[in-house]
Amino acid sequence: MRLFLGLLFRNRLAAVGAVVLAAILLFVLAIPVLPLADPNITETGKRFLLPFGEGHWLGTDHLGRDLLSRLLHGTRLSLAVGFAAAFVAATIGSAIGIVAGYFGGLVDNIVMRGVDMLMAFPYILLALAIVAALGPGLMNALVAVAAVNIPFFARNIRGVTVSLAHREFIDAARLSGMGHGRILASELLPNVLPVIVIAMSTTIGWMILETAGLSFLGLGSQPPQADLGSMLGEARAALITSPHTSVVPGVMIFLIVMSINLLGDGIRDALDPRLRSGALDRPAAMTRIDRRSPPPGAPAAPPLLALQDLQTRFHVGKRVYKAVNEVSLHLAKGECLGLVGESGSGKSVTALSVMGLVASPPGVITGGAVRLDGEDVLGFSRSRLRSARGDRVAYIFQDPLGTLHPLHTIENQLVEAIRAHRSVPHAEARARALELLDAVRIPNAGARLPAYPHELSGGMRQRVGIAMALANDPDIIIADEPTTALDVTVQAQILALLDELRRERGLAIVFITHDFGVVAQLCDRVAVMYAGRIVEEGPTAAVLATPAHPYTRRLIACVPELGEGRRELAAIAGLPPVVDRLPDGCAFAPRCDKAADACRRGEIRLAGEGTRRVRCIHPEHPEETV
Amino acid sequence: MANYILKRLVYAVPVLLGITIIVFLIMAAIPGDPATAILGSYATPENVEKLNRDLGLDKPLVQRYLIWLVNMLGGDFGRSFSLNRPVLDEILERFAATLVLAGTSFVLCSLAGILAGTVSAARQYGAADRLITFTVLIGISVPSFFLGMMMILLFAVKLRWLPVSGMYAIYGGGDLPDLLAHLVMPALALSAVATGVIARLARSAVLEVLRQDYIRTARAKGLGETRVIAGHALRAAMVSIIPVLGIQAGFVLSGAVYIEMVFQWPGVGRMLVEAILKRDILLVQGGVVFVAGCYVLFNIAVDVAQSLLDPRIRT
Ligand code: SF4
């Protein structure tokens, strides 16, 4: 509760709402002790006095009545009627909803059809019909507004009840022989109550507005009694000559409704955990770059792609996750590099960092450099980065159902990819799209163009994903687990396709996977990542034959054809570390059977000669792995 | 597609029937003797009896409902005693005026709301986002009738830019520019709240979509940010925005009642309020059924629009 209030008041606007509402309530409650004039005493000699005059702070209305007094009395009436309507609607609506949700079946069906019918009305028509039947009057307006809001409560509360009605504690109560009435009252109601209260807090502003509206139309409170709505309605006749008589009640309605809205928003936000975790933040067009030190200089003979001491972090609340920790990699033209690790090892974030595609917030690139032909990509302007994306470096992502736009046709998505970089007419781009689909061996490509992603099979979708990556003849393709979501035979086809394409077109590929089996088929070199760092690197054949890092050895052992021949993908015992609190020394130590004290002391460097490197004090010996 | 529309129309029949039943029951619940209620307590017994016969009040409830329903289907909504003309004629005339007002407002609030919400989402936490969020908060808290009155004070009385009220100038006028000049203020006042609600929803819908993987794909393709937001994010967000547009249309129609009173707009809302005050039950009954029916049909159009937008629900 304290936490809740704290959250509520951290939201400054909600606090403003609370203060304004409290002030209004205070004034209204203090009516009996305030030195107010009688709100209904008319004085024809003092009509339309302006505000701040003697004896009448807010002036007088068309009958010479004191506006301040009428305002406070009217406010009291409006609030009372609004709250009463909300209470009545909530009680009846919730009762209906609970009964329908609890009993289900026919009762539910009939009740909810009725609710649907009521909700088919624009609300005012229903309210007007009720007032027409009962006749104008404040009580009748209250009944109308409450009645109109009953379906809203009934529907909401029914939903909650249905989800509760089949929980164990309800079943248990039923089995223990409790009657329906007692179950409803003692088991269900307490659990539904918070939802009812929240629903009330979001609608109460509306109800005040609606009753005021009916009074404004002359259908609610009748003279001499006046709520805010009828004050405004009466003042309308003199709007042009004495606007203050309209402004006073109008501003009051506005203040009440706004403060209730602010408070309601604050309550909702405080209760929504997604807001606090930042899960509702929008990823920016490019990853935020905040390098603390100047990027390392370009190497003398720059490779096609080089990552130099790249650091990417996630800032979530006060915690900092070092997702990519000083990663250096290089990729030559036409080369295929495998980047291997479990999920959470930082391999995908490394790949996404290359073209600034890490979601930001929370991602920030805090150091290092990404060099494309020696040029620092992290220093690119937005438009330069945009023109490099898809044109020089293209991506293939994991799940093609989620990564293709569900509402655009294949044709649209391919054509768009082409036209993002070449200003060619649509027809030409379409012809090119067709070529691409052929190139990725999609049968009957012409017929696929007008299809939507959900109409294709998983394998076909991934072929489209590959076609899209090929659209602009990129130098580099970064494939992030492109076959993980597919079944085994399709997986093999896609791998074969990628291998062919790369040889045909001289593509350089960064292939990200957790599966050494895939690496063995496709990659020239391999880098293994653990907890945001490279732990081993070398030519595929050599690493496979003689893995040096204990982690690499275990990853290889997971693959049936390469390791000891177990069929299922055996998981490595233990969990990868959470990268916001990395232990000193080797991050793998808790899961390593060779871990020694020295492993937990101080930084271990990535060391080695020639093409192979390893980050381990006790590397495996080739003999052991055979 | 034609199948889908047909199916929706068939589903609408029970809803439309339900509406007539609900309205009929509400009106049948008029306490006391409706004829006396209508004619006032000084009515002569003959008059009361005549009205009872006219309204068919001497027959059993179900029979009365069926007669009323069949008559309505034949276009006979009865005769308004206060206006002394057929109810349907009056409704059609008034509803046309309401359509002009509410239709304009609906288009306005949809466009402005979606635009504001999208900009707000694309600039989350930026100055534009804060400004829009704040304006929206004010917009959804001001009673539309009060906003309308303040607009009259400012634009019609003080600045003299626009006419105070009505649909056409009394002398001369009657052409399109005249109508537009009269339409500006009521349409704006009427769309304020709905604009705010739609903007809020659009903002969160676009934010939700922006986190989807296909947005990352669009960016990885090298699309410009405008294209990503408008062509990809908003397009997908529309799927959750469109149903709310349907709901908001109901609120615009409801708000029209107040705005028509404030601006003396000769629409169906003002007709209903006046009919209630004159206890012209047949006019109220007919007006409510007619407008509610139109709203149901409008919502079918919304469903159809939704299915055009989202190929996944086209069945
Ligand atoms: S450094 Fe030590 S703990 Fe880490 S992998 Fe090597 S042997 Fe194991």
Side-chain angles (χ1 to χ4, degrees):
Chain A
M1 193 64 203
R2 284 234 339 249
L3 178 75
F4 171 76
L5 284 180
L7 280 167
L8 189 59
F9 279 90
R10 192 161 332 141
N11 185 337
R12 236 175 301 155
L13 284 174
V16 170
V19 169
V20 172
L21 194 62
I24 293 173
L25 284 177
L26 203 70
F27 272 114
V28 164
L29 290 176
I31 287 179
V33 297
L34 289 178
L36 290 172
D38 186 314
N40 295 325
I41 286 189
T42 58
E43 228 176 313
T44 27
K46 288 186 170 179
R47 299 171 62 217
F48 294 126
L49 289 186
L50 289 177
F52 311 116
E54 202 173 324
H56 301 285
W57 279 17
L58 290 179
T60 56
D61 72 357
H62 59 292
L63 295 177
R65 297 175 292 196
D66 181 55
L67 260 184
L68 178 64
S69 171
R70 285 185 72 72
L71 176 72
L72 289 181
H73 281 93
T75 305
R76 180 165 71 179
L77 195 55
S78 276
L79 285 174
V81 172
F83 274 83
F87 188 74
V88 171
T91 311
I92 300 179
S94 303
I96 294 175
I98 289 177
V99 168
Y102 176 75
F103 289 104
L106 190 63
V107 178
D108 186 28
N109 237 312
I110 292 173
V111 169
M112 291 325 286
R113 286 298 81 74
V115 165
D116 284 347
M117 306 258 162
L118 288 174
M119 288 186 111
F121 283 89
Y123 75 88
I124 194 111
L125 288 183
L126 207 51
L128 287 181
I130 294 172
V131 173
L134 300 179
L138 190 57
M139 256 342 250
N140 297 341
L142 191 159
V143 170
V145 169
V148 168
N149 282 288
I150 286 175
F152 166 80
F153 282 97
R155 179 176 286 185
N156 274 357
I157 300 306
R158 175 197 167 264
V160 182
T161 311
V162 165
S163 67
L164 285 172
H166 300 288
R167 294 271 189 82
E168 299 81 25
F169 67 94
I170 300 291
D171 285 336
R174 217 173 279 153
L175 288 176
S176 71
M178 252 193 221
H180 287 312
R182 267 191 64 200
I183 296 180
L184 286 179
S186 64
E187 302 290 325
L188 254 172
L189 191 60
N191 286 293
V192 180
L193 209 54
V195 186
I196 299 178
V197 171
I198 291 176
M200 244 176 96
S201 76
T202 55
T203 46
I204 206 157
W206 259 110
M207 305 230 200
I208 291 175
L209 206 53
E210 283 165 26
T211 39
L214 287 177
S215 289
F216 173 78
L217 296 176
L219 305 177
S221 71
Q222 303 293 322
Q225 182 194 46
D227 70 354
L228 293 172
S230 53
M231 280 179 75
L232 197 54
E234 286 173 22
R236 196 164 64 87
L239 171 66
I240 293 172
T241 49
S242 301
H244 72 277
T245 51
S246 300
V247 171
V248 165
V251 166
M252 182 53 100
I253 302 179
F254 166 69
L255 283 179
I256 293 174
V257 175
M258 189 181 67
S259 56
I260 291 178
N261 280 342
L262 282 173
L263 207 55
D265 289 354
I267 291 173
R268 202 196 50 212
D269 290 356
L271 291 176
D272 189 347
R274 293 196 305 170
L275 268 172
R276 262 170 289 159
S277 66
L280 290 180
D281 286 344
R282 144 218 70 132
M286 57 190 277
T287 310
R288 192 155 80 82
I289 294 165
D290 180 18
R291 286 188 284 198
R292 303 284 152 78
S293 50
L304 179 58
L305 177 72
L307 309 190
Q308 298 170 303
D309 296 330
L310 185 67
Q311 281 188 34
T312 305
R313 298 185 175 174
F314 291 113
H315 293 266
V316 180
K318 288 202 176 85
R319 306 176 93 178
V320 175
Y321 297 82
K322 297 181 182 172
V324 178
N325 202 351
E326 302 196 345
V327 165
S328 296
L329 286 171
H330 58 91
L331 181 73
K333 203 172 163 351
E335 188 184 28
C336 179
L337 170 71
L339 191 55
V340 191
E342 293 166 287
S343 56
S345 61
K347 56 191 194 311
S348 291
V349 182
T350 307
L352 291 173
S353 298
V354 172
M355 285 284 114
L357 287 172
V358 178
S360 203
V364 189
I365 294 177
T366 49
V370 173
R371 291 190 183 277
L372 196 56
D373 276 332
E375 281 185 287
D376 180 21
V377 176
L378 300 184
F380 277 9
S381 69
R382 221 159 119 156
S383 68
R384 199 148 169 230
L385 183 68
R386 186 191 75 72
S387 58
R389 285 174 175 177
D391 193 30
R392 303 203 56 200
V393 181
Y395 282 83
I396 303 170
F397 296 106
Q398 178 173 347
D399 166 25
L401 187 57
T403 54
L404 292 177
H405 198 289
L407 307 179
H408 284 295
T409 58
I410 304 301
E411 172 174 345
N412 271 349
Q413 306 199 38
L414 286 172
V415 164
E416 190 181 45
I418 296 163
R419 301 224 289 180
H421 298 287
R422 327 236 169 289
S423 47
V424 295
H426 186 94
E428 197 177 309
R430 188 178 182 277
R432 169 97 177 116
L434 211 53
E435 264 173 50
L436 287 167
L437 291 187
D438 275 330
V440 294
R441 324 272 188 271
I442 289 186
N444 198 3
R448 303 293 187 184
L449 279 181
Y452 290 91
H454 72 277
E455 296 167 341
L456 302 181
S457 69
M460 284 300 149
R461 278 198 290 263
Q462 194 53 294
R463 284 171 197 268
V464 171
I466 296 172
M468 209 149 79
L470 293 174
N472 294 293
D473 282 319
D475 304 323
I476 301 169
I477 284 189
I478 299 181
D480 188 357
E481 305 241 18
T483 58
T484 310
L486 306 174
D487 67 50
V488 188
T489 37
V490 182
Q491 187 172 344
Q493 291 166 7
I494 297 283
L495 287 179
L497 173 68
L498 277 174
D499 201 37
E500 253 178 82
L501 289 171
R502 131 171 134 90
R503 288 176 207 289
E504 272 170 24
R505 301 174 180 232
L507 280 171
I509 296 183
V510 179
F511 199 97
I512 295 148
T513 179
H514 60 274
D515 184 350
F516 252 106
V518 174
V519 172
Q521 276 182 51
L522 207 62
C523 300
D524 306 314
R525 275 191 314 119
V526 59
V528 182
M529 276 189 86
Y530 188 79
R533 317 190 96 163
I534 304 282
V535 294
E536 177 160 12
E537 194 186 344
T540 310
V543 172
L544 280 173
T546 60
H549 198 281
Y551 177 62
T552 314
R553 186 175 63 83
R554 297 238 219 130
L555 276 180
I556 293 173
C558 290
V559 183
E561 302 88 55
L562 296 169
E564 280 91 87
R566 274 177 300 176
R567 283 309 307 168
E568 75 275 23
L569 199 85
I572 302 176
L575 290 170
V578 182
V579 282
D580 72 324
R581 244 177 279 131
L582 286 178
D584 273 347
C586 178
F588 190 59
R591 299 164 79 188
C592 180
D593 41 24
K594 296 184 1 181
D597 281 352
C599 302
R600 299 194 174 86
R601 234 176 281 133
E603 172 91 15
I604 299 166
R605 287 195 325 112
L606 186 64
E609 310 109 46
T611 52
R612 295 201 61 176
R613 312 231 176 302
V614 64
R615 192 191 295 275
C616 177
I617 309 185
H618 307 290
E620 308 273 341
H621 295 294
E623 311 84 69
E624 274 180 34
T625 57
V626 179
Chain B
M1 198 68 236
N3 252 339
Y4 180 79
I5 298 177
L6 203 69
K7 215 163 74 184
R8 298 294 319 165
L9 282 174
V10 172
Y11 283 149
V13 172
V15 178
L16 288 170
L17 277 180
I19 284 175
T20 58
I21 293 176
I22 290 171
V23 173
F24 180 78
L25 286 180
I26 293 175
M27 292 308 168
I30 294 178
D33 177 13
T36 318
I38 291 170
L39 296 174
S41 41
Y42 299 113
T44 60
E46 300 91 73
N47 280 345
V48 170
E49 200 190 319
K50 181 176 176 302
L51 189 67
N52 268 331
R53 231 179 312 113
D54 287 353
L55 295 176
L57 291 177
D58 45 355
K59 303 201 178 72
L61 205 63
V62 177
Q63 200 182 346
R64 255 163 64 200
Y65 169 69
L66 289 177
I67 292 174
W68 178 61
L69 185 66
V70 170
N71 282 346
M72 254 189 333
L73 290 177
D76 176 12
F77 280 60
R79 215 177 158 76
S80 153
F81 79 85
S82 67
L83 301 166
N84 199 18
R85 70 182 295 205
V87 165
L88 187 62
D89 292 3
E90 177 73 9
I91 292 176
L92 288 177
E93 206 178 295
R94 296 297 202 109
F95 191 61
T98 297
L99 268 189
V100 170
L101 173 61
T104 310
S105 288
F106 180 68
V107 172
L108 270 181
C109 71
S110 304
L111 293 180
I114 291 172
L115 183 71
T118 308
V119 169
S120 201
R123 299 262 177 278
Q124 191 188 21
Y125 305 136
D129 182 26
R130 279 172 209 281
L131 184 70
I132 289 171
T133 308
F134 186 71
T135 316
V136 160
L137 179 74
I138 305 271
I140 59 174
S141 304
V142 181
S144 59
F145 41 91
F146 180 56
L147 180 63
M149 288 163 72
M150 293 301 108
M151 286 171 99
I152 291 178
L153 275 184
L154 180 62
F155 296 113
V157 178
K158 187 135 186 126
L159 299 172
R160 296 184 172 281
W161 288 350
L162 294 165
V164 174
S165 66
M167 191 164 170
Y168 293 105
I170 298 170
Y171 304 108
D175 50 356
L176 190 64
D178 185 34
L179 173 63
L180 289 180
H182 282 83
L183 184 60
V184 173
M185 279 198 295
L188 283 178
L190 180 52
S191 54
V193 175
T195 305
V197 175
I198 293 170
R200 270 189 168 195
L201 180 97
R203 177 180 186 270
S204 64
V206 171
L207 281 180
E208 185 77 39
V209 168
L210 275 173
R211 297 198 312 274
Q212 301 295 319
D213 285 345
Y214 49 81
I215 297 300
R216 192 181 57 196
T217 309
R219 285 174 173 158
K221 283 201 275 194
L223 298 185
E225 200 52 17
T226 318
R227 180 95 202 206
V228 170
I229 301 281
H232 286 238
L234 182 57
R235 175 69 192 266
M238 282 308 285
V239 171
S240 44
I241 295 174
I242 284 198
V244 173
L245 294 187
I247 296 171
Q248 283 308 308
F251 280 89
V252 168
L253 212 48
S254 294
V257 175
Y258 304 121
I259 295 299
E260 285 173 7
M261 290 302 281
V262 172
F263 289 93
Q264 302 291 311
W265 192 266
V268 80
R270 215 175 105 211
M271 176 198 89
L272 285 174
V273 174
E274 283 161 2
I276 292 173
L277 292 173
K278 289 181 199 146
R279 315 284 298 147
D280 191 341
I281 300 298
L282 280 180
L283 192 54
V284 177
Q285 212 174 18
V288 169
V289 167
F290 185 87
V291 179
C294 289
Y295 178 62
V296 169
L297 295 180
F298 175 79
N299 266 313
I300 294 178
V302 171
D303 285 349
V304 171
Q306 176 84 332
S307 77
L308 285 177
L309 190 83
D310 188 347
R312 291 167 300 183
I313 57 171
R314 225 179 280 159
T315 42

